[in-house]
């Protein structure tokens, strides 16, 4: 038995620590905002005095990036269509081709190739078996466009290099 029962003041103590840490966080954030505001003012003054060029408008940059992405996707789709024609001939009514085209439309050409070459699910393995004759050509496609197929790996490697 506890000879001194906990009173209201003692039961409030654990709640005061998070409040103190919260106040410390708010104080630190306020300092960061003040520093950012000062830096923005300095940058604005440099731009107005023509000592520094104005920042680029991000919207045209985003449009260019989207256009490049769309162009890359179209080029990959065209390359995959060429592989289908080389391997299976010009027929578009084959089961392999119809299934593949709907999958490419759904997940994109890069993800399709990744599924065929490196997929681990049962459906991926079945797709790989169905398209077995295409594997060498798809591997060559990956070698020709590694940035399109290995983006995730490149991102992970970049984080390791940065560490």
């Amino acid at each position: 038995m506890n000879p001194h029962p906990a009173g209201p003041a003692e039961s409030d103590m654990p709640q005061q620590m998070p409040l103190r840490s919260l106040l410390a966080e708010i104080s630190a954030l306020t300092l960061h905002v003040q520093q950012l505001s000062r830096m923005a003012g300095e940058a604005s003054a440099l731009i107005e005095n023509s000592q520094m060029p104005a920042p680029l408008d991000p919207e045209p940059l985003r449009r260019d990036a989207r256009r490049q992405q769309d162009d890359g996707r179209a080029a990959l789709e065209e390359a995959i269509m060429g592989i289908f024609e080389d391997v299976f001939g010009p027929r578009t009514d084959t089961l392999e081709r119809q299934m593949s085209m709907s999958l490419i439309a759904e997940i994109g050409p890069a993800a399709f190739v990744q599924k065929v070459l490196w997929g681990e699910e049962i459906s991926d393995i079945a797709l790989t078996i169905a398209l077995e004759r295409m594997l060498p050509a798809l591997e060559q496609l990956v070698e020709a466009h590694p940035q399109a197929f290995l983006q995730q790996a490149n991102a992970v490697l970049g984080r390791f290099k940065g560490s």
Side-chain angles (χ1 to χ4, degrees):
M1 253 174 66
N2 189 356
H4 302 286
E10 289 181 51
S11 65
D12 290 342
M13 286 301 288
Q15 294 175 354
Q16 290 177 356
M17 287 305 289
L19 181 60
R20 285 186 186 148
S21 63
L22 182 62
L23 290 174
E25 290 289 325
I26 291 171
S27 177
L29 287 172
T30 302
L31 288 174
H32 287 296
V33 169
Q34 289 172 347
Q35 288 175 336
L36 289 172
S37 178
R38 180 186 52 76
M39 291 168 64
E42 290 172 2
S44 179
L46 288 173
I47 291 168
E48 287 173 6
N49 295 333
S50 299
Q51 294 175 347
M52 186 173 153
L56 297 174
D57 182 14
E59 189 51 40
L61 297 174
R62 285 188 198 115
R63 279 194 303 267
D64 289 345
R66 281 192 296 266
R67 190 176 317 115
Q68 287 176 349
Q69 229 176 11
D70 291 344
D71 291 348
R73 180 185 173 115
L76 289 178
E77 285 178 359
E78 190 174 311
I80 292 170
M81 294 299 292
I83 292 170
F84 267 104
E85 286 186 22
D86 291 345
V87 174
F88 293 107
R91 290 187 55 194
T92 58
D93 61 346
T94 63
L95 181 62
E96 295 92 350
R97 195 162 183 167
Q98 288 178 349
M99 287 176 43
S100 297
M101 291 306 118
S102 65
L103 189 57
I104 289 171
E106 182 182 331
I107 65 173
F112 169 78
V113 173
Q114 290 169 331
K115 249 182 179 330
V116 172
L117 293 178
W118 305 303
E120 295 178 355
E121 295 177 12
I122 298 292
S123 61
D124 300 340
I125 295 168
L127 183 63
T128 301
I129 292 168
L131 301 176
E132 185 177 10
R133 296 186 331 203
M134 289 180 63
L135 296 182
L138 291 177
E139 288 169 350
Q140 289 175 347
L141 185 65
V142 170
E143 288 174 13
H145 302 281
Q147 71 285 355
F149 298 104
L150 304 173
Q151 286 178 346
Q152 294 166 335
N154 288 335
V156 171
L157 289 174
R159 278 188 253 141
F160 280 122
K161 288 178 183 176
S163 299

